[in-house]
């Protein structure tokens, strides 16, 4: 069930049977010569939308598609938020959902650069809930799509060499599966990109001239992407079900 394609009465009805919502989140940033700029938000969206097909117990919110990508600003097309802006936006998304009665907000993430700031935003929201004495059970969860059950292991089998850490063949394969009309090709030199630290944009562009980090995206195929999406969708459903079923702990009290 897609929130954006539902009406408010349908969401009001959904809340009578579930208080959980999934938010795909990522970034719009360069992914080398052949990776789509939207790769990091497309991957979680593709997986989440696949998981909800034919189900009325899994609600997917609109995708949060701009994240923390300042180190990619040396490449045209990248759009980035400051940490303070990103935290404020996450806060308002969560507050908007919580005011309607959503108690469990699950973020399916596609960009590692978002993680630290998202966790800081969660800390701010939990502090706010504590001061306002929000009822027990209000929970936030962050899961990278590649950390869903079995996904990393599958990617390692598919790409034993040349996987790397940015513009990886696994994420490129996922977008190829969903958008075969947008598959790109290039001659890579070197075939497997170098690795190194991530700092500011000028340093990143100098270290990684074509945008890749340790990867060989030429290894990606739509077929491998389909395998990753199918496994990740199963993992997402199981992870969200477990998150939704969590029981708030019994309040501590003195004997």
């Amino acid at each position: 069930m897609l929130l954006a394609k539902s009406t408010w009465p349908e969401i009001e009805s959904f809340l009578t049977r579930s208080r959980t919502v999934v938010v795909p989140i990522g970034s719009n940033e360069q992914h080398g010569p052949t990776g789509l700029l939207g790769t990091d938000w497309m991957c979680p969206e593709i997986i989440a939308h696949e998981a909800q097909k034919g189900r009325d117990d899994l609600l997917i919110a609109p995708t949060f598609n701009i994240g923390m990508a300042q180190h990619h600003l040396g490449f045209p097309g990248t759009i980035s938020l400051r940490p303070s802006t990103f935290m404020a936006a996450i806060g308002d998304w969560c507050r908007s959902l919580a005011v309607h009665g959503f108690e469990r907000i699950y973020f399916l993430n596609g960009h590692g650069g978002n993680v630290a700031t998202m966790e800081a935003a969660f800390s701010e929201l939990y502090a706010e809930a504590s001061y306002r004495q929000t009822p027990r059970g209000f929970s936030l969860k962050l899961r990278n799509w590649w950390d869903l059950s079995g996904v990393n292991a599958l990617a390692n089998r598919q790409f034993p060499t040349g996987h790397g850490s940015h513009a990886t063949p696994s994420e490129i394969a996922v977008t190829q599966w969903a958008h075969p009309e947008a598959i790109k090709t290039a001659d890579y030199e070197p075939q497997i990109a170098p690795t190194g630290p991530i700092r500011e944009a000028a340093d990143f562009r100098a270290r990684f001239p074509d945008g890749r980090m340790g990867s060989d995206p030429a290894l990606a195929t739509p077929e491998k992407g389909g395998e990753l999406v199918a496994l990740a969708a199963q993992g997402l459903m199981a992870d969200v079900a477990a998150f939704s079923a969590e029981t708030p702990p019994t309040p501590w009290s003195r004997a």
Side-chain angles (χ1 to χ4, degrees), residues 183-203:
I183 294 175
K184 319 290 183 180
T185 60
D187 293 325
Y188 299 109
E189 181 57 43
Q191 194 67 36
I192 297 177
T195 61
I198 296 175
R199 294 172 180 149
E200 44 75 35
D203 183 80

Side-chain angles (χ1 to χ4, degrees), residues 161-228:
T161 61
H163 190 258
S165 58
H166 184 66
T168 65
S170 60
E171 61 187 344
I172 303 300
V174 168
T175 62
Q176 288 181 344
W177 175 79
H179 301 285
E181 78 288 352
I183 294 175
K184 319 290 183 180
T185 60
D187 293 325
Y188 299 109
E189 181 57 43
Q191 194 67 36
I192 297 177
T195 61
I198 296 175
R199 294 172 180 149
E200 44 75 35
D203 183 80
F204 189 98
R205 181 68 189 257
R207 290 178 186 276
F208 314 109
D210 70 359
R212 298 176 296 141
M213 292 185 68
S215 65
D216 178 7
L219 299 169
T221 67
E223 292 73 24
K224 291 177 180 177
E227 293 174 358
L228 289 163

Side-chain angles (χ1 to χ4, degrees), residues 67-121:
M68 294 281 295
Q70 60 80 19
H71 51 285
H72 294 297
L73 285 171
F75 298 84
T78 296
I79 304 171
S80 181
L81 298 178
R82 294 175 182 270
S84 55
T85 308
F86 191 48
M87 288 179 65
I90 290 171
D92 283 349
W93 276 58
C94 291
R95 293 183 190 96
S96 296
L97 292 166
V99 77
H100 302 306
F102 288 103
E103 297 172 350
R104 284 168 169 65
I105 304 173
Y106 181 112
F107 286 87
L108 183 64
N109 181 47
H111 175 51
N114 288 344
V115 172
T117 307
M118 290 184 70
E119 290 177 344

